[in-house]
Amino acid sequence: MRSAIVERNTKETRIKLSLNLDGSGEGTIDTGIGFFDHMLELLKKHALIDLTVKADGDLMVDYHHTVEDTGLVFGQALNTALGDRKGLTRYGFASIPMDEALCETSLDLGGRPFLVMQCPMKHMFVKDFEVKLVEEFFRAVSVESRANIHLRQIYGDEAHHVCEGLFKSFARALRAAKAIDPNEKGVPSSKGVI
């Protein structure tokens, strides 16, 4: 099984996360941040991964540490679960409409961390969740999973819909990229290693 359990305990957060790449969208999410929980629920459902997250963070300060550290832990778990990446499809792309919003993700699980996010959202908050934290989450995921992630808001007005489109498009791109290609006999790289 391509799975991992990762824990991170600091003075700011305590996070335990389990991930199964070959799951069916099962698991429970509890970060103490309602909107972020909603986004992670979408991620596990549309990526077809089993994901359980329990996070206790310094929410009395703000949501930043909890969101970023959850991204770090998710990225670590993803990197571990991918193993040597032999037989991996490696690349994934998805374009997702969400009412008036259209968002897309291009993803490469090829071992080179980089995040590009083009997302000119008109609103800064969804309820009390600062939408800038979406970028912090994906940056942490990129670094720890050694993935090249490009996220783009093509258009859209409602911040909730844009965030949802970003998470769903990432999930669908991950679903494609994590798949095992029966024709790929080794590591999907001309270098021979990832």
Side-chain angles (χ1 to χ4, degrees):
M1 278 180 55
R2 298 186 299 162
S3 61
I5 298 173
V6 178
E7 290 189 53
R8 177 183 172 92
N9 295 297
T10 72
K11 291 181 180 179
E12 298 167 340
T13 61
R14 289 165 309 285
I15 300 170
K16 183 173 183 179
L17 182 148
S18 67
L19 169 68
N20 176 4
L21 288 180
D22 301 308
S24 58
E26 299 299 316
T28 58
I29 309 292
D30 180 12
T31 67
I33 306 169
F35 183 72
F36 187 45
D37 288 356
H38 177 44
M39 295 300 104
L40 294 176
E41 290 283 349
L42 297 172
L43 172 55
K44 73 179 174 69
K45 173 66 177 173
H46 291 282
L48 280 184
I49 57 175
D50 291 344
L51 179 65
T52 295
V53 180
K54 176 59 178 156
D56 294 305
D58 55 357
L59 302 184
M60 76 296 277
V61 174
D62 68 6
Y63 296 160
H64 187 281
H65 297 141
T66 301
V67 172
E68 182 179 37
D69 287 5
T70 300
L72 292 172
V73 173
F74 178 78
Q76 290 168 4
L78 180 55
N79 187 53
T80 299
L82 287 168
D84 61 12
R85 304 187 192 210
K86 285 184 179 174
L88 199 63
T89 298
R90 180 176 165 176
Y91 297 101
F93 172 80
S95 179
I96 297 293
M98 181 62 203
D99 292 345
E100 88 297 341
L102 181 66
C103 298
E104 67 180 26
T105 298
S106 294
L107 175 64
D108 176 10
L109 297 176
R112 296 169 62 97
F114 205 89
L115 175 70
V116 175
M117 186 164 168
Q118 296 178 342
C119 190
M121 280 191 265
K122 296 179 181 180
H123 308 287
M124 294 183 65
F125 288 90
V126 174
K127 194 177 177 185
D128 60 348
F129 184 88
E130 186 180 9
V131 295
K132 180 70 174 167
L133 294 177
V134 171
E135 184 172 358
E136 296 302 322
F137 172 78
F138 283 114
R139 180 175 292 109
V141 171
S142 171
V143 169
E144 292 297 330
S145 67
R146 301 184 305 124
N148 188 334
I149 303 170
H150 290 241
L151 299 159
R152 188 160 66 124
Q153 171 192 353
I154 309 301
Y155 45 78
D157 183 59
E158 169 56 50
H160 186 136
H161 296 162
V162 172
C163 291
E164 195 161 324
L166 291 171
F167 271 86
K168 284 180 176 176
S169 67
F170 173 77
R172 285 290 173 151
L174 177 60
R175 184 170 168 173
K178 73 179 176 74
I180 298 300
D181 182 343
N183 296 316
E184 180 61 66
K185 302 306 178 197
V187 174
S189 171
S190 58
K191 297 174 184 171
V193 296
I194 289 184

